[in-house]
Structures are given as C-alpha cells and as structure tokens.
Amino acid sequence: MADRIASSLLKLLTYIVFVISTAVILFPVFKGIRYFNPTFFTEFPSQGMTQGGIFPAIVGSLLLMSLVAVFSVPVGVLIGVFLSEYAKPTWLSALLRTTITTMTSIPSIVYGLFGLAFFCITMGFGTSLLSASFTLSIMTVPFVGGSVSNFLMAVSNDLREAAMAIGADKRETVFMVIRAAKTGILSSTLLGLGRAFGETAPILVTGAVFYATNLPRRLTDPIMTLPTHIYAVVTNFPEDAYWMAYGSAALMVIIIVAIYSIVQWIRRRSS
Amino acid sequence: MKRTILSVILLLALGFLLMADTLVIKGSNTVLPIAQRWVEAFKKYYPDLAVTLEGAGSSTGIKALFNGTADLANSSRFLKSSEVEKMHAEGKYFTPIVIAYDGIAVIVNKSLPINDISRETLKKIYTGKITTWNQIDPSLPKKRITIYSRNTASGTFETWENKVLDKERMAPWVQMLESTQAEVEAIKRNPYAIGYVGYGYVTEDVKVLKVEGVAPSMKTILSGEYSISRPLFVFVDLSRFGNTWPETNVVAKFIKFIVSPEGQKLVEDAGYVPAYPTTSSE
Amino acid sequence: MNKEIVYEMKNLSAWFGKNQVLKNVSLKIYRNKITAIMGPSGCGKTTLLRCFNRLNDYTESFRVEGDIFFNGQNIYQMDPVQLRRRVGMVFQRPNPFPMSIFDNVAYGPRIHGLAKKRGLSERVEKALKAAALWDEVHGELRKSAYKLSGGQQQRLCIARAVAVEPEVILLDEPTSALDPIATERIEKLLEDLSSRYTIVIVTHSIGQALRISDYLGFMYKGELVEFGETSQVSEDPRHELTQLFLTGRIG
C-alpha cells in the first residue's frame, strides 16, 4: 500500500515536472513565433528596436559558433583522447581530470572576466568576435574534453585488446577506440556548442555590442549575437521593443531544441 | 590544426585590408535608445561607415574614452571630479555636448489616490523616515510603502541620489531593480509601491506624480520648472584631434547630425526631451 | 611425426601487483598442433595465453619472470607489434571492430601493408572461407559486423586473425559465449585450421579440450600441473589433481 502511494506520488511529480519544463520550452516559442517573417530574419533592427529584424544577431551567433567549433572541437577531442587513452593513472592526471570537471562548473561570467582581461586587453583583440570566440572556446574545451574522455573510457577494453592483438600500434588502437565512440564524440561536441550558443555573460563582456550598422568584416570587429541582443533589448529599451526579444528567444529555443533532437537522433540511430 | 591556425591568420590579414571608417560609441544605457536611432539614420548619409554601439553604463563609456577604445561616450551624468583630474593628468580634453534632457518621473500605482508629492517627502520616503502612506496624508491608506529604485550602477540612480536624496543613504529596504521595465511592471502590480523611471519610459500602466506641483513634460523639463531632471551628454576627446574641433572628421559630422533638427527629432522619438529645436528655423 | 617447436616457455612466473598468477610454468607448443590449456576459473590459464603475444604487458601492474621463445627468439626482445602480427588472437567474447564485415577482416592486412586493393578482397575472401563464414556473408560484406549473430561474430574474429596469415592462433575460451550449435561449428573449424596454423586454446570445458586437442595442459592455482599428449593426459594422468578435474570433482 505504502509502495503504491509512493509510486503514484513519484509518477505525479514526474508529470508535474514534465508539464513545467514543456511550458518553459513552449512559452517563449508561442510568445515569439508570431513575429517570424522574412523581414525579421533579414533586416537590421531599426527605430529603437521597434522595427526591422535580427539579421546581424543571427549572423553574429553563427560566426561565433563556427569559430568556437573550429577552436574548441579539435582541442577538446584531443584532450579527451589524451585523458582516456594516454594519461597514466598518476596524481597529475587525476589533478587534470579534477580540474576539467571543476572548469565545467565555473560560472560563465568568470570566463568572461578572464576573456576580458586576457584576450580583449592583454592580447589587444578588443571587444571582438575573436575575443568572444576564444573566451567561449576556453569554456567549451573542458566540457567537450571531459565528455569525450567519458565516452572513450566507456568503450570496452575488449576492443582495445582486439586491435592490439592483431598488431595495431598505440595510434591505430586509439583510432579504433575513437571510431567506436564516434557518436558519443559527435554528441559531446554538439552539446558543448549548444551550451556555448546560449551563453550571454561571457560574450557581453568580450565581444558583443548592442547595435552595429554592419556585419563584422574582421575578426577584430565586435558582433551582435542572439542572447546579448535579447539582453540589450530587455534591459535598455522601452516596452515597444520587447517583441524583438521574444522573437529572438523563440528562435534560440527552436535552435537549441533542434540541436538536442539531433543528438538524440544520433544516439538512437547508433544503438 | 595547422590549417586552422593558418586560416585564422589569413582571415586576420584579410580583415585589416578591408578596414573601413568606423565609429565606436559606448556608454550610458539610458542614451542607448536615442543613440540607436541616431546611428541608424546617420548611416544613411554615410553608407560606408561602420558604427557599433555598446551599453554598459556611463562610467564604462568614459573609461573607454580614456583608454581610446571608444570614439564617443554617452553619459547620463557629467564627469566626476576624479575623472576631471585624471583627464588633466593624462592631457586629455573631453568635451561635453548636451544632447537631451531626461526627466525622472515619480510613479505609483494607478489606484493610489495621490497626485502630487514634494521632494522633501520623497527624500523622507527613500531614506526611511516615512514608511506608510498615511504618514504623508491621513486620507491615504495605512499601508507600508514598497519602495523601488534602480540599481546603483545606473545613471538614473545617480541623478536621483543628487536631486532627491542629497547624498543621504537610502533605507536598506529599498528594492533595487535591474531595469526600468521591471520597475514599471512591479508598480503596476503593487498598489502601495513607489518608484522612479526616466520620463521616456512612462507607460499608461502607472500614474505619474507631480513634483512640487509640476508635472514632468517636455516643456517643464526643458525649462527647468520640473526639478528632477538631468541633461544627457555625449563626450568626445578632442586631444585625439590636436585639441581642436575636427571639422572634417566623422566624429564631428556625427555630432553635427545629432544636434541637428533631424537628430533632435530622434531624441523625441525615443521619449526624451530634445535639447535643441526639432524643426529648422529658416 | 613432425615435432617442430614453435613456442618454448621456460620457468615463467607472473604477477599482477603482489598477486602471483603464474608459478614457474614451462611448456612447449608444437607446430600445426592444437594445444589446449584447461583448468578451473582463476587458475591463470588466460594470463598464460596472453603471455604468448605479450598482451598482459600494457597492464601497469603486470610483471613477469622467465623466458618465452618464439621460433627460438626471445619474445621480450621482439617488437610486440611485430610479434602480434605473427600471432593472432580470438577472445572469449566476440569483439568485432565497429566497421563492416569486409573492413574487419581487411583491418590487419591494411595496417601491416600486406595487400593492395585487388589482393585485399582476395585475402578477405580467403580468410572468410577459412573461417567458414563466406557462404553466409559474401553478399553483404558492407554490412556492419555488429549485425551478425554471436557465433558468426566469433567466426568473423577468427577470419580477422587468419587474414594476416599468422603462424599461431591463440583462442581464449572462444565458445563460452556461444550456443552448442555455434560451438560445434567452431570446434570443427579449429580442426580444419590446425592443418595450416599452430593453435593454442584455453578452455574450461573438458569435453572441448579432449575433442579437439593434440596436446593438453592442466593448470591449477597458477601452476601447470600436467602437460602432455592429449591421449596420455586423458587416459593416464600423472597428477591426482588432473584426475580429479577430469572426473568433475574439482573445477
């Protein structure tokens, strides 16, 4: 009897959580999707953000994500491979692993401050696409690295031994393990980029402007991005500009949901 | 990996070749809605120009002017004495241009039967000497006043501090809000709340009080009759141009544009009070 | 009778950390014969087998004393990659690579540069035929190896080992995860393969050891208690423990 009550309570709780999370996902979409039209996607914002669209923010986010992918995916995967396949179980590798786990839970604004001090000022990149993409990459690398190493370590030792037993050297064996974990690696990188895509604070201090008349032409130009655009509109403009924030939020939610769906699809297809 | 690094270097190199005229504007969030309109309109006259506009506050804008990362700094306050000293020490020459006035409107819930308030009373409310509405007027409800303020980083707060608090400390129970919008929303929902917002942000949802018998309006703010108002500035560093007015430079052209009737009309569109005529007098 | 020695193990002892798993083992493996090592689980027979291709070496805590000669050459003075190219291995659980059937078999020849494109498909076909898998898969060589049944996967692993044309094939309880029909097929296959390869098989199945082997060893608690020709060991074991194991009283 007590079991029955407990299980129906848990069931109820699960349903409630499900409904709430669905609502959180759907609310901005419903609220913002009505503003979707060709102008919204192809024009610059105009008249105090009351007219026009979010084209430069979309382009900015895309550029930023491409650079983050170029910088962080190779490095993240290499770190993951090193941790899983090469690092001997010493205190140093344990420290490295702990550091990486810790880095994934550091608040993103801390990365922003680092990026501001190091990339914008010390390296002299200024408020720019380059500074922002380096900053986000530094944030993404530990996530991708940690996650990739977990996927590689989950590969059965049987496979490593199979490769070794046929005379594969270390490098060939590692490639075999990577091959076995490739869907895991792919989803790690997608999730890492998805996380970076939604970040606001680090970009706000390292690369974003609230309004630019032109798309960035150089890596040292600043950019508009979707999350910082929402922030700019909500905190600085009167209510007649709010629609633009809702529209941008809807687009972001749709993109994030799409990324996660792709990851799920990849995982399901491979199992 | 090698190829990645190489292409990044190439991109950078390519970038420098394509360098065009740029104008970087930083500073006050209050000025942002005006500045966005200026930049958009100005761009039509100079299509080759690339302008970026960044918020983050008056102090940040002035700091950017000091380290040369901005061409123009928007500010909702004049230079602090520390900034003036630093300016002299570094041989800079920041020139202020008043571009608009921002009246700060005192707002309450529409249901509250009050229409007029004195600066003295406002000061007592914000410093905590008055805590319930009926202390102001016995006919008002005997309810605790919920007090809202903008956070201390905002230019609006600084003006409030100067014009209302006379530098006295705010009561600890004053609630600090991140944005003007949040304040309007909160007061709309709370019948016993009071707050202050830029005149341009007032909506139909709340009631604006007269201060010392004067309602904020374009006319009263510009004439100075309405007491809680402040000028908004654009600062430009003339030491970059050999301490003269850079007639042919894009900075000068931009300033000429923003004080022109067309530029000042945009100030009005953004909900602020223009500092100069919005129609050309022939 | 040709009794050419392929492997000679002399006084081999081995440890994982402080735990001694092999105690002073000496034995000889003869060319083109099937040698079976049997014994209860945990007796060290798998560790012994993995000494032949130095597959224990990558385990940090593993330590070994004594000598193993492969065709007269000390294997601890050989490059393990070269050694393993000449000594194939099949594991307890089928462990095909995450690739197509064809690529699984072609993997060894490819990494060792043994055949170019045309020769490669011939080699793969030959190996699959040798592993008695060709008839079942020849139409679908591009299919993922994971789509095969357990028994087919194990024969694929045999084909993979055979494809590099090794001298020796080591098998670690290759049928323990398979059903009786698949087991029978593999046993039959091993007998066919023994005409061309030297085979060392570890098994805990007495029946299997007796059915297929020419030489038979019995291990108990890290020691090679008994070793000799299968007929001799089964009919007249020298050691009492062997007798007890063969009659099912230990194991």
Side-chain angles (χ1 to χ4, degrees):
Chain A
M1 191 57 198
D3 263 9
R4 290 257 307 271
I5 294 172
S7 88
S8 31
L9 267 176
L10 280 177
K11 207 181 249 176
L12 187 69
L13 202 65
T14 313
Y15 287 141
I16 291 172
V17 170
F18 175 75
V19 168
I20 292 173
S21 28
T22 316
V24 169
I25 291 171
L26 289 182
F27 173 78
V29 176
F30 278 134
K31 192 128 186 184
I33 206 162
R34 75 185 88 155
Y35 305 115
F36 283 13
N37 60 50
T39 317
F40 185 68
F41 295 111
T42 55
E43 284 188 6
F44 276 64
S46 168
Q47 325 244 325
M49 312 289 181
T50 59
Q51 307 278 314
I54 56 168
F55 176 64
I58 295 172
V59 173
S61 274
L62 280 179
L63 282 173
L64 184 62
M65 282 306 108
S66 326
L67 283 180
V68 171
V70 166
F71 298 144
S72 68
V73 171
V75 179
V77 171
L78 282 178
I79 285 181
V81 169
F82 173 77
L83 278 181
S84 159
E85 304 300 312
Y86 289 94
K88 299 241 157 64
T90 59
W91 64 272
L92 194 67
S93 68
L95 182 71
L96 190 61
R97 201 174 285 281
T98 314
T99 309
I100 281 186
T101 319
T102 313
M103 279 178 84
T104 52
S105 40
I106 289 176
S108 57
I109 185 66
V110 177
Y111 286 95
L113 284 177
F114 170 78
L116 177 66
F118 187 70
F119 297 121
C120 302
I121 297 167
T122 310
M123 302 291 289
F125 298 148
T127 303
S128 66
L129 175 57
L130 196 62
S131 299
S133 54
F134 279 147
T135 306
L136 280 191
S137 298
I138 286 191
M139 206 187 93
T140 310
V141 160
F143 178 86
V144 173
S147 172
V148 164
S149 89
N150 286 341
F151 275 109
L152 292 176
M153 284 191 291
V155 171
S156 161
N157 247 339
D158 291 3
L159 189 75
R160 291 186 184 85
E161 292 187 344
M164 278 190 274
I166 205 158
D169 57 24
K170 182 72 189 174
R171 187 183 56 87
E172 286 157 348
T173 308
V174 168
F175 268 102
M176 185 58 76
V177 175
I178 291 175
R179 199 184 172 108
K182 65 172 189 285
T183 54
I185 293 172
L186 189 62
S187 55
S188 303
T189 49
L190 277 177
L191 292 181
L193 292 178
R195 258 165 55 109
F197 172 71
E199 278 304 336
T200 317
I203 319 174
L204 207 56
V205 294
T206 57
V209 287
F210 289 177
Y211 176 69
T213 53
N214 295 65
L215 296 176
R217 279 180 281 196
R218 291 169 291 164
L219 285 170
T220 48
D221 281 346
I223 47 167
M224 293 174 74
T225 72
L226 289 170
T228 55
H229 185 62
I230 295 174
Y231 176 84
V233 167
V234 172
T235 53
N236 298 303
F237 286 84
E239 232 158 272
D240 53 359
Y242 269 34
W243 68 279
M244 198 173 252
Y246 283 119
S248 310
L251 181 63
M252 283 192 71
V253 170
I254 289 169
I255 290 172
I256 291 284
V257 168
I259 291 176
Y260 277 73
S261 311
I262 291 170
V263 169
Q264 280 307 317
W265 177 72
I266 290 171
R267 286 190 180 164
R268 195 156 315 151
R269 206 186 51 152
S270 73
S271 62
Chain B
M1 198 57 208
K2 216 178 247 173
R3 197 178 296 171
T4 314
I5 295 167
L6 202 71
S7 46
V8 167
I9 292 169
L10 267 176
L11 264 172
L12 275 171
L14 193 71
F16 283 114
L17 291 176
L18 290 170
M19 229 156 79
D21 248 359
T22 59
L23 197 57
V24 178
I25 307 173
K26 283 188 190 172
S28 165
N29 291 326
T30 313
V31 184
L32 214 55
I34 308 176
Q36 191 278 329
R37 288 172 162 87
W38 283 338
V39 168
E40 190 184 339
F42 188 62
K43 169 89 175 158
K44 294 204 177 85
Y45 296 102
Y46 299 94
D48 292 335
L49 183 71
V51 190
T52 62
L53 180 61
E54 213 179 320
S58 304
S59 303
T60 316
I62 290 163
K63 212 185 282 172
L65 212 55
F66 270 115
N67 62 31
T69 53
D71 300 303
L72 295 150
N74 297 331
S75 180
S76 56
R77 59 167 175 81
F78 193 74
L79 300 174
K80 292 176 181 168
S81 53
S82 61
E83 288 162 346
V84 174
E85 278 163 29
K86 192 178 175 203
M87 187 181 95
H88 287 307
E90 294 184 8
K92 308 260 182 199
Y93 182 9
F94 294 174
T95 304
I97 297 117
V98 175
I99 46 86
Y101 286 91
D102 179 22
I104 295 182
V106 179
I107 55 171
V108 294
N109 191 279
K110 274 188 156 172
S111 67
L112 203 70
I114 181 172
N115 295 310
D116 202 333
I117 200 160
S118 72
R119 269 164 73 184
E120 195 51 41
T121 312
L122 281 171
K123 183 178 168 184
K124 281 181 180 159
I125 293 172
Y126 274 82
T127 52
K129 293 185 185 78
I130 291 179
T131 53
T132 59
W133 285 106
N134 63 346
Q135 285 171 292
I136 303 168
D137 182 341
S139 68
L140 286 168
K142 193 185 167 184
K143 292 281 186 187
R144 199 180 162 86
I145 309 173
T146 311
I147 316 163
Y148 290 112
S149 167
R150 286 299 309 284
N151 65 20
T152 51
S154 74
T156 321
F157 172 84
E158 281 171 31
T159 307
W160 190 255
E161 204 181 19
N162 287 332
K163 304 264 170 169
V164 176
L165 297 178
D166 295 329
K167 300 279 179 186
E168 270 185 53
R169 272 180 160 284
M170 274 213 291
W173 55 84
V174 174
Q175 298 184 38
M176 302 296 212
L177 293 176
E178 271 310 306
S179 76
T180 301
Q181 278 70 36
E183 227 178 319
V184 172
E185 272 304 300
I187 287 164
K188 186 174 130 189
R189 284 168 219 285
N190 184 339
Y192 308 112
I194 190 166
Y196 60 90
V197 297
Y199 167 71
Y201 287 91
V202 168
T203 69
E204 294 288 302
D205 298 323
V206 290
K207 187 199 283 188
V208 178
L209 299 185
K210 289 178 182 172
V211 176
E212 310 286 353
V214 184
S217 72
M218 263 195 216
K219 191 167 153 283
T220 58
I221 290 168
L222 194 58
S223 69
E225 281 172 80
Y226 184 75
S227 54
I228 317 172
S229 82
R230 56 176 172 172
L232 300 177
F233 301 93
V234 168
F235 284 97
V236 51
D237 178 15
L238 293 187
S239 70
R240 279 175 55 196
F241 307 105
N243 292 340
T244 63
W245 189 246
E247 200 58 57
T248 55
N249 187 280
V250 67
V251 171
K253 287 174 183 160
F254 184 72
I255 288 170
K256 206 183 283 172
F257 171 78
I258 67 180
V259 298
S260 75
E262 188 183 352
Q264 289 295 301
K265 180 75 182 56
L266 294 171
V267 171
E268 204 175 333
D269 288 352
Y272 294 89
V273 178
Y276 309 101
T278 56
T279 48
S280 36
S281 46
E282 296 297 313
Chain C
M1 194 179 196
N2 175 19
K3 290 194 71 166
E4 190 190 339
I5 296 166
V6 178
Y7 263 115
E8 182 165 15
M9 195 177 267
K10 283 182 178 168
N11 304 324
L12 196 83
S13 295
W15 292 261
F16 282 110
K18 291 202 167 91
N19 186 23
Q20 184 166 14
V21 284
L22 292 177
K23 293 173 187 162
N24 218 22
V25 176
S26 298
L27 58 77
K28 294 187 176 79
I29 304 289
Y30 298 102
R31 189 170 301 285
N32 292 6
K33 298 291 175 202
I34 299 183
T35 306
I37 311 286
M38 59 180 187
S41 9
C43 68
K45 57 189 190 295
T46 292
T47 307
L48 180 73
L49 188 75
R50 290 156 67 100
C51 282
F52 288 116
N53 64 350
R54 295 183 57 184
L55 202 58
N56 292 314
D57 291 17
Y58 81 95
T59 310
E60 287 285 317
S61 62
F62 183 76
R63 193 164 59 82
V64 69
E65 276 174 17
D67 293 309
I68 306 169
F69 295 97
F70 176 57
N71 293 325
Q73 200 181 352
N74 189 331
I75 64 165
Y76 287 101
Q77 283 156 17
M78 289 175 76
D79 174 10
V81 170
Q82 281 311 308
L83 173 68
R84 290 174 195 147
R85 190 194 110 22
R86 291 160 68 187
V87 182
M89 190 170 200
V90 177
F91 295 79
Q92 187 168 0
R93 267 176 305 177
N95 53 1
F97 295 140
M99 24 173 89
S100 71
I101 294 169
F102 183 91
D103 289 338
N104 258 275
V105 182
Y107 183 77
R110 272 184 182 140
I111 63 170
H112 296 302
L114 294 182
K116 294 283 162 238
K117 271 191 182 133
R118 282 196 65 178
L120 195 62
S121 358
E122 280 162 28
R123 219 174 232 272
V124 169
E125 182 177 339
K126 217 171 115 192
L128 283 168
K129 278 180 175 159
L133 192 59
W134 177 255
D135 292 342
E136 289 158 62
V137 301
H138 68 87
E140 38 193 22
L141 293 178
R142 293 283 152 217
K143 210 166 78 169
S144 163
Y146 291 151
K147 297 258 157 67
L148 298 175
S149 74
Q152 288 175 319
Q153 286 190 10
Q154 197 60 304
R155 275 180 284 144
L156 181 67
C157 291
I158 292 173
R160 184 175 67 190
V162 164
V164 291
E165 285 171 9
E167 289 169 49
V168 182
I169 300 174
L170 309 171
L171 300 107
D172 183 7
E173 303 198 32
T175 59
S176 67
L178 305 180
D179 62 66
I181 296 167
T183 300
E184 200 190 324
R185 291 201 67 157
I186 301 240
E187 284 180 9
K188 168 100 184 27
L189 172 63
L190 293 180
E191 281 172 49
D192 294 345
L193 289 173
S194 71
S195 61
R196 285 168 44 219
Y197 302 97
T198 305
I199 291 175
V200 184
I201 179 168
V202 154
T203 178
H204 66 252
S205 152
I206 300 158
Q208 184 167 67
L210 295 177
R211 277 195 298 276
I212 62 172
S213 68
D214 304 306
Y215 289 86
L216 182 56
F218 170 63
M219 285 193 74
Y220 193 74
K221 294 189 175 166
E223 286 181 67
L224 186 66
V225 173
E226 183 104 24
F227 189 81
E229 286 188 36
T230 305
S231 51
Q232 177 260 310
V233 173
S234 64
E235 282 155 28
D236 181 22
R238 277 175 221 146
H239 203 289
E240 194 190 352
L241 280 169
T242 318
Q243 180 67 37
L244 290 173
F245 184 75
L246 287 172
T247 52
R249 273 174 282 172
I250 55 169

